[in-house]
Amino acid sequence: MREVAIVGIGMTKFGELWDMSFREMGIQAGLMAMQDAKISAEEIDALYVGNMSAGRYIEQEHVAALMADYSGLARDHIPAIRIEAAGASGGLALRQAYLAIASGMHDAVVVGGAEKMTDVGDAISNKIQSSASDQQWESVFGATSPSLHAMIARRHMHEYGTTREQLAEVAVKNHRHGALNPFAQFQKEIDIKTVLRAGMVAEPLGMFDCAPNSDGAAALVLCSMERAKKYTDSPVRILASAQASDTLALHSRADICTFEATRYAAQRAYRQAGISPKDVQVAEVHDNFTISEILAIEDLGFFEKGQGGRATADGQTSIGGKVAVNTSGGLKARGDPIGATGIAQLVEIVQQLRGEAGKRQVSGASCALAHNVGGTGSTAVVHILGVK
Amino acid sequence: MTIARFWRDNATRYNLVATRCGNCGKVTFPPRHVCPVCHRRSIGKMQRFHLSGEGEVYSFSVVHEAPSAFEMQKPYIVAMIRMSEGVMLTAQLIDCEPSEVTIGMKVRAKLRKIGEEGPGGVIHYGYKFAPA
Ligand SMILES: [Zn+2]
């Protein structure tokens, strides 16, 4: 296997981008990433696109060819591949791109992620998002994605004494970080009272416990480490890429307070990178709900099972804490355009490792982790990155 | 949802049909063709049987924002229920107030209307759970 580097990053602002179409967002992010890498179109061997549900959000399937076409690559006839794994679509697209270069099949590829969610109303969006769960045995009975995560939250509170306030602290912290990110959907700090007083979505989770519906796209340029020297003096190295799956329905798990897919993917990634959780200084984790971040920081091994809420309230996951989690603002404040999310996580991590994260910069960051989840823990993708 | 897609699962939605592996005894719900423990050794040995309908609440939520098909029901309670046979399932809780529900509460299955194919369309039935 060859070493793989990230040499270019690009993303649109996240939010309600009413003046931009799906294809415009994708192209803007992709061209920014190619500009950042100073790579020409002729050097690109393949295009990977992470996207969950363009067919239902904008009635457009076949989006990989569409992106290649509108990027001006149609006449180059490169392979263009769409990858779908619900919320983990972006992270998994990155993994496929990584495998293609590591294997020697390709030398340089663009990997992007995009989702256009705000062209439909909330009730329709809610239904589309429910389809990432088991449609026949969960969604059909009225179980929504927020309510499944709410049941995890309630069980976590029951088993470990996690409090409503500790959940709220995740949102407060991520908004504090997001306020420093010019690409974030919400660049505004909130206090704990705002989270606790917000209207209920699925008890005990309120509006500020849930990531918003968003539009947005993000992209990366990947190449072999050998080739990377041609484009940059500071390539960011992919030290590990791992993926795991679990039952589609949450009720088929023996314990819903642990995402085994996250644990397995993390174990494989730590082994491949030759590091342990304590070596990670920056982590972008999948906080589609406040409880999701608490599960993530436990399952990734940053904190003991059951201690995630307390660690968050103690500031251990803030910038300057033991491990800086979601410096970008996370899905909660940066926004969660589903297929784009896993790629946006990498954009943040590359900025951190290059020392280009501005006010969000974690000083001396040299090892970082990205964690992307699909459904209620049915797919987990973990990447570990570093600079020497 | 198309009629056929719902109809295929009616036995299980009406009567809580589960499967027991003839090789290791593991119970699965909804019915499976392959045991997740025994894999290929279980093929042809998965026996169907009816769950008792008795269970207890493992966790629950009250849904306030719902897909349009459930708009008229909200707020409603969804729960994960640990059945006495050990398997877990997801269903709505009825005949009780959200404030009365607790983890560990004993519940029993009822046949109820689940939804319909738009105005004037086919009505779907299935299990919901009420305090036992
Ligand atoms: Zn078996």
Side-chain angles (χ1 to χ4, degrees):
Chain A
M1 297 280 275
R2 299 196 294 177
E3 286 197 309
V4 181
I6 298 178
V7 294
I9 55 173
M11 69 183 278
T12 64
K13 190 184 179 304
F14 280 10
E16 295 186 358
L17 309 180
W18 287 341
D19 57 339
M20 284 178 90
S21 68
F22 179 82
R23 61 187 77 182
E24 284 168 336
M25 296 187 316
I27 292 150
Q28 187 181 102
L31 292 180
M32 273 174 75
M34 288 177 64
Q35 176 71 27
D36 183 48
K38 296 181 192 65
I39 194 169
S40 69
E42 292 75 20
E43 294 172 277
I44 302 298
D45 296 330
L47 174 66
Y48 292 80
V49 179
N51 171 258
M52 171 175 162
S53 216
R56 296 179 76 189
Y57 279 117
I58 58 164
E59 296 181 8
Q60 178 69 63
E61 303 288 14
H62 210 176
V63 297
L66 170 76
M67 287 300 187
D69 181 3
Y70 276 76
S71 305
L73 295 169
R75 291 204 316 185
D76 298 84
H77 306 297
I78 62 166
I81 306 106
R82 178 236 191 117
I83 285 114
E84 190 276 318
S89 298
L92 197 50
L94 169 63
R95 177 167 159 75
Q96 300 310 307
Y98 163 86
L99 292 174
I101 293 176
S103 72
M105 179 63 82
H106 294 315
D107 286 323
V109 305
V110 173
V111 51
E115 206 81 48
K116 183 79 187 168
M117 301 172 72
T118 71
D119 280 5
V120 301
D122 285 347
I124 296 173
S125 189
N126 200 325
K127 185 165 192 227
I128 297 170
Q129 286 170 61
S130 293
S131 70
S133 307
D134 190 327
Q135 206 284 332
Q136 292 192 65
W137 301 103
E138 292 179 311
S139 317
V140 80
F141 297 107
T144 58
S145 174
S147 66
L148 291 168
H149 288 86
M151 289 194 273
I152 297 173
R154 196 182 299 276
R155 192 72 203 183
H156 204 279
M157 293 161 114
H158 176 77
E159 289 195 11
Y160 301 109
T162 299
T163 66
R164 182 69 194 86
E165 288 73 20
Q166 289 169 350
L167 292 175
E169 291 283 6
V170 173
V172 171
K173 185 261 298 173
N174 287 348
H175 272 256
R176 195 165 64 235
H177 291 174
L180 306 173
N181 182 0
F183 286 85
Q185 181 162 359
F186 302 126
Q187 297 169 37
K188 189 170 177 291
E189 293 199 31
I190 53 171
D191 61 17
I192 195 161
K193 280 196 214 113
T194 310
V195 185
L196 297 177
R197 276 199 307 242
M200 279 292 150
V201 174
E203 294 178 38
L205 302 180
M207 200 172 66
F208 279 93
D209 290 281
C210 310
N213 288 343
S214 320
D215 305 329
L220 308 167
V221 178
L222 264 59
C223 68
S224 63
M225 187 51 81
E226 229 165 74
R227 177 82 86 86
K229 292 172 187 123
K230 182 176 163 190
Y231 306 111
T232 175
D233 295 330
S234 55
V236 171
R237 195 183 302 258
I238 298 180
L239 301 173
S241 172
Q243 180 202 355
S245 59
D246 204 341
T247 62
L248 196 62
L250 187 64
H251 58 230
S252 302
R253 318 253 173 93
D255 170 14
I256 65 170
C257 293
T258 294
F259 280 173
E260 289 292 345
T262 297
R263 288 205 329 116
Y264 273 78
Q267 279 169 10
R268 286 170 196 161
Y270 289 135
R271 204 178 310 131
Q272 188 189 351
I275 66 160
S276 76
K278 66 176 182 342
D279 298 316
V280 176
Q281 297 148 313
V282 183
E284 287 285 304
V285 309
H286 201 85
D287 61 319
N288 50 340
F289 299 95
T290 47
I291 184 65
S292 315
E293 178 164 321
I294 289 174
L295 248 55
I297 60 179
E298 294 171 353
D299 296 339
L300 291 166
F302 299 147
F303 301 98
E304 292 274 301
K305 182 49 73 182
Q307 296 300 309
R310 186 164 304 149
T312 304
D314 289 348
Q316 296 192 57
T317 55
S318 298
I319 295 169
K322 180 184 169 196
V323 51
V325 176
N326 286 329
T327 55
S328 67
L331 283 59
K332 176 70 201 77
R334 183 192 56 226
D336 181 22
I338 307 172
T341 289
I343 304 295
Q345 292 178 326
L346 271 290
V347 170
E348 176 69 14
I349 274 171
V350 170
Q351 287 185 317
Q352 288 284 353
L353 294 176
R354 286 177 180 175
E356 294 172 355
K359 290 178 185 161
R360 314 189 302 286
Q361 185 63 47
V362 174
S363 64
S366 63
C367 180
L369 177 149
H371 162 253
N372 195 198
V373 172
T376 24
S378 310
T379 295
V381 185
V382 172
H383 284 96
I384 297 174
L385 296 97
V387 283
K388 290 223 169 115
Chain B
M1 183 182 297
T2 62
I3 292 167
R5 183 140 62 104
F6 210 92
W7 172 82
R8 284 194 287 268
D9 295 320
N10 275 352
T12 291
R13 291 217 178 92
Y14 288 4
N15 293 314
L16 289 166
V17 172
T19 33
R20 183 182 283 111
C21 174
N23 202 43
C24 76
K26 184 172 177 63
V27 178
T28 42
F29 180 90
R32 289 181 186 251
H33 293 286
V34 180
C35 170
V37 178
C38 304
H39 306 125
R40 205 153 52 90
R41 292 188 298 278
S42 66
I43 292 174
K45 297 178 186 162
M46 299 296 278
Q47 301 145 358
R48 294 191 165 220
F49 73 106
H50 291 196
L51 296 176
S52 64
E54 311 285 330
E56 64 175 54
V57 173
Y58 174 78
S59 194
F60 66 99
S61 175
V62 184
V63 179
H64 293 264
E65 287 188 16
S68 35
F70 293 90
E71 189 71 18
M72 297 301 285
Q73 297 179 30
K74 69 183 194 183
Y76 56 90
I77 310 167
V78 293
M80 292 174 63
I81 295 156
R82 172 86 69 193
M83 304 301 290
S84 57
E85 292 84 356
V87 287
M88 204 134 68
L89 53 77
T90 301
Q92 286 191 24
L93 285 189
I94 52 168
D95 301 341
C96 58
E97 292 300 316
S99 59
E100 297 164 354
V101 183
T102 54
I103 287 178
M105 186 172 91
K106 303 276 185 237
V107 291
R108 180 175 293 128
K110 309 276 177 186
L111 185 68
R112 286 288 187 277
K113 177 180 166 181
I114 300 294
E116 58 194 31
E117 302 271 344
V122 177
I123 295 174
H124 301 305
Y125 294 90
Y127 50 76
K128 293 187 181 181
F129 284 74

